[in-house]
Amino acid sequence: TAMAVAGKHSCVITAHHADDQVESVLLQVLTGTSGLRLGIHEKNPLAPDVMLIRPMLHASKADILTYADDNHLEYMDDSTNASLDFTRNKLRNVILPMIASLINPRVDKALLRFKQLSDDMTTFFDDKLEAVWSDIVMEGEIKIRRLLKETRFIQTEIIKRWIRTYCPDYRITYDRIQDLLDFIIAARPPAMYKLGDSYQLRRANRIAWIEGKQ
């Protein structure tokens, strides 16, 4: 696995391509798991001092296979890619071909354009988040009164970034972030919200913070 390789190297390179990107964007839109930050990123930190790099995201699978055949390169095809037991394979082998046949033969191009628009909007809002982050998050704590001055969208993005920073193992979904936001801004007595098996979110005196379980 990538994590196993990471222990020995400063970077890990994978062969994810544009078709993988298309599948990821559609899957995230259908499941509502990512907000604006759609698709696969070209670079991600995998571990301390280890970067995960995907240099082939702009090349289609067909182009890669053509290049391999033209240059007599051997490659391995995972037999499980044809199995409909996996959600991504259903998208690849059933849903996307159906959309291409019945709605838009260039659905791949449309989803990649949507991904680019998402990236542009993400860059814009990231600048906004940077401008307010240090006013809202101080020493890992959320200042609730300051958070309430922002729009619901900015509040959501702040909480999402906060959870990813201070509770990275917690699986984020849109609904969970909305639940967390409602919990944080609620005008109720001090309370606790369970974050998986290892962390909990606490709220008191217009401050919210994350701590490990005792």
Side-chain angles (χ1 to χ4, degrees):
T1 66
M3 285 301 296
V5 175
K8 302 179 181 179
H9 303 281
S10 60
C11 70
V12 175
I13 299 175
T14 68
H16 291 101
H17 46 70
D19 295 46
D20 295 317
Q21 185 72 279
V22 168
E23 295 162 11
S24 294
V25 170
L26 182 57
L27 181 61
Q28 290 170 354
V29 169
L30 293 176
T31 58
T33 56
S34 66
L36 282 179
R37 290 161 175 77
L38 288 172
I40 308 172
H41 301 289
E42 292 187 8
K43 295 181 180 181
N44 285 108
L46 187 61
D49 300 320
V50 180
M51 185 64 67
L52 176 62
I53 303 174
R54 304 177 180 95
M56 302 172 70
L57 284 177
H58 299 290
S60 70
K61 180 178 180 180
D63 289 341
I64 294 171
L65 292 178
T66 298
Y67 180 87
D69 290 339
D70 290 346
N71 291 274
H72 309 291
L73 301 177
E74 294 185 3
Y75 57 87
M76 182 175 63
D77 188 11
D78 189 342
S79 60
T80 64
N81 285 338
S83 172
L84 296 183
D85 293 335
F86 305 100
T87 300
R88 181 177 286 270
N89 290 353
K90 293 175 185 176
L91 286 178
R92 178 186 306 127
N93 300 316
V94 180
I95 304 301
L96 279 166
M98 185 181 299
I99 294 173
S101 174
L102 299 177
I103 300 175
N104 182 1
R106 304 305 301 273
V107 60
D108 55 340
K109 302 296 183 184
L111 287 169
L112 290 174
R113 284 196 300 271
F114 185 52
K115 156 69 175 169
Q116 183 59 56
L117 176 61
S118 169
D119 288 347
D120 293 342
M121 293 178 67
T122 296
T123 299
F124 173 80
F125 284 113
D126 278 346
D127 290 342
K128 170 65 174 176
L129 290 180
E130 282 299 323
V132 302
W133 175 262
S134 60
D135 291 335
I136 297 173
V137 182
M138 297 183 181
E139 298 181 353
E141 297 178 343
I142 292 281
K143 306 301 181 182
I144 299 176
R145 284 194 175 90
R146 179 62 183 83
L147 179 69
L148 287 171
K149 295 180 180 180
E150 300 299 329
T151 64
R152 181 77 181 196
F153 178 81
I154 294 297
Q155 291 172 0
T156 297
E157 292 300 307
I158 287 287
I159 299 305
K160 187 187 302 181
R161 177 173 171 179
W162 184 61
I163 292 295
R164 284 175 171 160
T165 301
Y166 295 100
C167 189
D169 296 332
Y170 186 66
R171 183 174 179 272
I172 292 176
T173 65
Y174 177 83
D175 289 339
R176 284 183 177 179
I177 291 298
Q178 296 306 311
D179 286 345
L180 288 172
L181 179 54
D182 288 338
F183 170 83
I184 289 171
I185 65 178
R188 292 196 293 266
M192 183 271 289
Y193 189 109
K194 183 180 178 182
L195 297 174
D197 296 328
S198 302
Y199 295 90
Q200 55 194 16
L201 187 157
R202 291 190 172 274
R203 185 199 68 233
N205 300 320
R206 309 307 291 165
I207 294 174
W209 69 95
I210 294 172
E211 62 183 33
K213 286 188 176 180
Q214 301 298 322

